[in-house]
Amino acid sequence: MATQMAQGGWHDGGDAPAFWPVFPIMFGLFWLAVLGAAFYLIRRRMNGGTAAAPAAADPMAKAQSVLAERFARGEIDEDEYLMRISTLRNGS
């Protein structure tokens, strides 16, 4: 019986298969991918409550935001800001 076990085993008395290091590497990469995806989703959810998302969806809000930024930087004066904001609101 001992001779049958020595002759019959998994490797038939030879070395381990050459692809055995692939399994722990793939296992580690799988968990890195899971952690990376979790980090991405958590970070996306935390940043999702900002006002940038609605402004990007609404072109009018984006235009008003750009106009307010230009006024804040001093690129346009108050009269021009008020004229352009009223033009945006009236659509003419």
Side-chain angles (χ1 to χ4, degrees):
M1 178 125 163
T3 58
Q4 287 178 343
M5 295 275 295
Q7 291 176 354
W10 282 35
H11 308 294
D12 291 329
D15 292 330
F19 60 86
W20 73 268
V22 172
F23 294 112
I25 291 170
M26 293 303 291
F27 187 72
L29 289 176
F30 168 76
W31 284 110
L32 283 175
V34 168
L35 290 175
F39 178 76
Y40 171 76
L41 292 173
I42 289 170
R43 184 155 179 168
R44 183 175 173 192
R45 185 168 208 178
M46 291 180 77
N47 291 339
T50 62
D58 183 22
M60 184 64 73
K62 183 166 175 34
Q64 290 176 351
S65 173
V66 169
L67 191 59
E69 288 175 11
R70 289 187 64 198
F71 177 65
R73 286 192 299 254
E75 294 177 10
I76 58 175
D77 61 354
E78 184 179 2
D79 292 332
E80 187 174 357
Y81 172 76
L82 292 174
M83 180 185 68
R84 289 182 183 219
I85 202 80
S86 69
T87 303
L88 276 175
R89 290 181 182 156
N90 294 334
S92 55

